[in-house]
Amino acid sequence: MKKGVKITISAAYLISLALIISIYPVGALAQDQTTQSKSERETLDLGAITVTAEKQEENVQDVSLSLTVMDALDIEDMNIETVNEIADFVPNMMNWNDGMATVNKVTIRGISAPSFTRNSTSVGMYVDGVPTLGNFGFEEGIVDLERIEVLRGPQGTLYGKNTQAGAINIITRRPDNDFRLRVSAEAGQWMTSESGDRLTNGATVSFGGPILKDKLFYSLAGDYKHKDGYIENTTNNETEFERDNTFGRVKLRWIPTEDLDISLQSSSLLYDQKGNNMNSLEADDRYQKTSDLVGDQESKIDSQSLTISYDLSGSLNLTSITSRKKTTFTGTSDFDFSSVHSAHGSQDGTESETTSQELRLDSKTERLNWLVGLYVDNEKRNDVYSQTSIDPNYVYTLDTKLTGNAQALFGQVGYFLTEKLKFIGGLRYERQIFDIEGLLYAGDLDDSWENVSPKIAAEYHATQDLMTYIDISEGYRTGGFNGLANDPEYYQYDDESLRSYEIGIKSLLLNKSLMLNAALFYMDIKDKQVEEVTDTTLVFVTNAAEATSTGVELELTARITDSLTLVGGYGYTDSKFRKFSDASGDYEGNKTTYSPDYTYNISVQYRQENSFYVRLDLIGYGEMYFDKANDTSREAYQLVNAKVGYETDHFDIYLYGKNISNEEYDSDTSFTLYSDPGEYGLQVVGRF
């Protein structure tokens, strides 16, 4: 895209927002909506957020697990645009992308899945209960949300497979009798660019309200983002790593009777990328490449769900969640990073489709709460990859079809033995079946895995504002297949299991002006899935290792004045291989991969009603190793974000900056993965 066109589009974002605001009949709504607009920014009591982390509504400070919650205003203030950026504000969480669009590797407490296991993750993601079962398609539009919940520690009992280290719950806003409209636009630029292209743009719109008062409601939300490519390909004078992201969601909510609530929603995310941010380790100039191929990527995620909630009595509720999620990916890449055609890869027809059904019955009284549930899913995944080269030894094709089915029964109960002491027990049985066919040395394969994930916890509510807890729970990640294996010993690998021991405290202090939560944990990982070198050239996923992870997490929010707030989080993790060796060496005692030593975030925020707004974020990550031998690593780094503006009842204007110190935090594995440069810009918001 030509620079003049890009500048025109940038200006159009802000102009279109002004036009929408000027022509919209806000006069009729202003009187009714002023109270609503203000209420969204009212200072809530600390710890007053209701969450559904354990699939029942409860106060965030009464949940006996490590939990970070971001409500709609937090998400807006933090300027979170992608799932990847959630990790910046969660202790002991790190998100890493290996260059593939909408594919994210999430680490919590030092636990992550090997890159080759695309059909499983260590951290699950759920959007209104709709699961993402692998790291393929691990993205969502961050628009018109009610809150984001990040659960740390194994969630095998209530969530099941692929949540052994935690879960991300994204809850979208439910439409109701209140009409809401929010529009925003931003125009910015990179602080550094070798290509000469610097522009970054974005626009969002969300609105919804009643169709029939008290009965039928709707909401629509859309989001568009553009990022210029900042990498120059000197071989063909092309720009690389230009990205366009378009997202839309529509939701209908029907309440036919007082006891029945039905929601139907559909969403679609389209991600286009030209080139990538990968380069050879030997590259001399940062943000410059010499590839003879400028690749491209296109990823599309479509999701539909039907949620039915029926209040059978005052304390008994039935919930059904039916969903379908499909992700497709096409793309080409130059994997030799040179002007010679040594290794060009192409994916055409790679897709994943999951349908799932969860049915829950739950009850909650003052002393007793319980739930039981049934879960089933069906997965279909096609992987189509071909590699071309002038050297016949590097030419090959991979074409496989993976089909999976899972069934699970689960339940959990909590009971107050006394007014202060509560015991919790839970159990989940899950069976996973996979079969794979295609161009395999082994021919068609099939296997199944069974898992039982228990949970035992105790809470002691010393006062209304102070609770301590101890939790013992388990989680697991499903097994799978090595599609290129030619040795029966490596055709398949088994599931990985984890047991966690955690003690924690949740507290509201100083007349509820200070919220302080802390946790200590120890995790024992059995049959750890690792990338094992079987000879000098072949690498397969196996269960060749055992590991432990020990750490601490602290979170605080301090209401210094009605306008000034301090928020902080810190996580330390010591995650090591207890046993692991292969043909390349012995790694006992080494750090596990993709596990930062520590993470922290400190935010200072000032907000005065109908006045100035200021926020400053300091985000830090410790050293992290990319390989089991601990030879390659990313050094510790810090990011500084800032946001300054003026807010009114209906209109806001901000100057924002991300990574304003322009910190470089590239990842060097078998190639270099460049980090984004700093970004700054102007944002305008209208709310009605």
Side-chain angles (χ1 to χ4, degrees), residues 339-352:
S339 58
V340 179
H341 183 177
S342 295
H344 288 180
S346 175
Q347 287 181 270
D348 185 9
T350 295
E351 63 180 32
S352 174

Side-chain angles (χ1 to χ4, degrees), residues 599-657:
T599 69
Y600 66 82
N601 61 281
I602 303 172
S603 302
V604 179
Q605 179 172 288
Y606 175 84
R607 168 173 278 127
Q608 185 71 38
E609 183 178 338
N610 289 329
S611 185
F612 289 102
Y613 170 85
V614 180
R615 181 184 177 102
L616 187 67
D617 299 313
L618 177 62
I619 299 161
Y621 291 88
E623 184 179 22
M624 179 180 75
Y625 290 100
F626 294 109
D627 68 316
K628 56 203 172 188
N630 291 177
D631 291 330
T632 59
S633 66
R634 181 172 65 189
E635 295 182 354
Y637 67 93
Q638 301 79 39
L639 304 177
V640 180
N641 298 342
K643 190 176 181 181
V644 180
Y646 193 88
E647 300 175 339
T648 69
D649 286 343
H650 297 294
F651 307 100
D652 310 322
I653 185 168
Y654 305 99
L655 291 174
Y656 71 88

Side-chain angles (χ1 to χ4, degrees), residues 132-148:
T132 298
L133 299 177
N135 60 15
F136 185 52
F138 206 97
E139 190 55 85
E140 175 66 18
I142 308 298
V143 58
D144 200 29
L145 302 184
E146 181 177 318
R147 65 184 182 277
I148 297 173

Side-chain angles (χ1 to χ4, degrees), residues 522-536:
Y522 171 81
M523 301 193 298
D524 187 16
I525 304 99
K526 302 286 189 182
D527 297 320
K528 183 169 178 58
Q529 296 171 6
V530 290
E531 295 174 0
E532 179 183 349
V533 177
T534 59
D535 59 28
T536 57

Side-chain angles (χ1 to χ4, degrees), residues 336-385:
D336 57 75
F337 313 112
S338 72
S339 58
V340 179
H341 183 177
S342 295
H344 288 180
S346 175
Q347 287 181 270
D348 185 9
T350 295
E351 63 180 32
S352 174
E353 182 176 7
T354 302
T355 56
S356 67
Q357 171 66 54
E358 181 165 297
L359 190 65
R360 299 195 307 266
L361 183 67
D362 70 89
S363 175
K364 188 172 185 179
T365 62
E366 186 174 341
R367 195 161 188 175
L368 173 69
N369 67 284
W370 59 266
L371 67 84
V372 292
L374 168 69
Y375 171 85
V376 296
D377 70 41
N378 176 265
E379 299 177 64
K380 295 179 181 178
R381 178 182 171 116
N382 297 336
D383 282 299
V384 181
Y385 175 81

